[in-house]
Amino acid sequence: SQQGEEDPQALSIQEGENATMNCSYKTSINNLQWYRQNSGRGLVHLILIRSNEREKHSGRLRVTLDTSKKSSSLLITASRAADTASYFCATPPFNSGGYQKVTFGTGTKLQVIP
Amino acid sequence: DAGVIQSPRHEVTEMGQEVTLRCKPISGHDYLFWYRQTMMRGLELLIYFNNNVPIDDSGMPEDRFSAKMPNASFSTLKIQPSEPRDSAVYFCASSQGGSHEQYFGPGTRLTVT
């Protein structure tokens, strides 16, 4: 079944540094989404990149998508302590009949040390 | 908009009891999802609805779990009888379109003793 997997599983950096996390998936996708989850809270949508896009920016976030390698990366520039959270990718499958089961990866736990 | 609303936020119950979790999606959203999150298994999709109709319940772990969506603004997830291994955080999410971004509620932390 379709599944995104993030790596690394955990990442610890100093405040001000950049953080990069990756997502790999298995089959054709409609789009790829990144979410953030702060401890004890629900997931919050960060950014969506469509399958025909290669790069997208939103504030300090930069997402790339390589459909030939079935992978995506999320870059957080100039990290802040408030960026400490788990980050998940989600991959809705290519729409081939209306079946839209979105699966989430296992997440990257990011710790930004002040 | 108030976002996705879930209740209760915390539930502690004894094994064998019935548990009902509630969700109010964002108005206008046509998809509703129920997830379960644990340290061991991560975030699991239990069931999702499109226009109030259950589309895929293959993630529901056992017959003890059931979900309903009687109208566009309300859904329930019921566990009966509950077991200690059901302890987890249960999230409800909604979206406009199945492949679009999902909006999550704050979750219900369930503890079954």
Side-chain angles (χ1 to χ4, degrees):
Chain A
S1 62
Q2 181 94 17
Q3 184 171 19
E5 290 193 10
E6 298 88 348
D7 88 278
Q9 287 190 328
L11 180 61
S12 183
I13 59 174
Q14 295 290 326
E15 198 167 32
E17 294 180 339
N18 295 341
T20 300
M21 52 206 86
N22 304 295
C23 171
S24 59
Y25 57 91
K26 296 177 182 176
T27 60
S28 297
I29 58 171
N30 193 322
N31 62 61
L32 188 142
Q33 303 166 27
W34 284 93
Y35 290 77
R36 181 189 73 228
Q37 183 180 33
N38 291 91
S39 180
R41 311 287 288 271
L43 278 71
V44 174
H45 179 262
L46 294 176
I47 194 167
L48 180 153
I49 185 166
R50 302 190 191 286
S51 58
N52 61 353
E53 297 177 308
R54 292 297 167 259
E55 188 170 314
K56 198 163 184 178
H57 296 253
S58 177
R60 295 184 295 112
L61 305 180
R62 173 177 168 252
V63 170
T64 61
L65 179 63
D66 187 335
T67 53
S68 66
K69 295 181 180 178
K70 292 186 170 56
S71 67
S72 172
S73 67
L74 171 67
L75 168 68
I76 303 173
T77 60
S79 64
R80 305 167 181 168
D83 295 328
T84 294
S86 291
Y87 292 81
F88 297 84
C89 66
T91 51
F94 181 73
N95 188 351
S96 56
Y99 197 73
Q100 298 284 353
K101 183 172 180 176
V102 176
T103 53
F104 285 82
T106 52
T108 291
K109 187 169 285 190
L110 173 66
Q111 180 184 28
V112 181
I113 302 168
Chain B
D1 199 318
V4 175
I5 299 172
Q6 290 187 248
S7 65
R9 293 292 310 276
H10 301 273
E11 177 81 37
V12 180
T13 191
E14 293 183 347
M15 183 174 63
Q17 296 298 306
E18 176 181 299
V19 174
T20 299
L21 311 181
R22 297 173 177 80
C23 175
K24 176 178 168 54
I26 292 174
S27 177
H29 284 188
D30 57 348
Y31 279 80
L32 183 138
F33 307 84
W34 281 101
Y35 293 91
R36 177 173 69 176
Q37 187 176 40
T38 61
M39 289 292 291
M40 292 295 294
R41 301 173 70 93
L43 191 66
E44 303 173 276
L45 176 65
L46 300 178
I47 185 171
Y48 75 94
F49 296 82
N50 176 218
N51 292 323
N52 313 339
V53 176
I55 302 301
D56 184 355
D57 65 354
S58 61
M60 298 284 260
E62 300 171 34
D63 291 345
R64 298 184 296 106
F65 286 69
S66 63
K68 293 182 180 179
M69 192 165 185
N71 57 62
S73 59
F74 184 64
S75 177
T76 59
L77 178 67
K78 185 178 292 186
I79 307 172
Q80 183 187 14
S82 58
E83 296 183 2
R85 59 193 167 122
D86 301 331
S87 296
V89 181
Y90 291 81
F91 290 103
C92 175
S94 68
S95 72
Q96 191 166 34
S99 63
H100 297 179
E101 56 266 36
Q102 296 183 24
Y103 293 81
F104 281 73
T108 295
R109 182 173 295 276
L110 173 65
T111 303
V112 183
T113 60

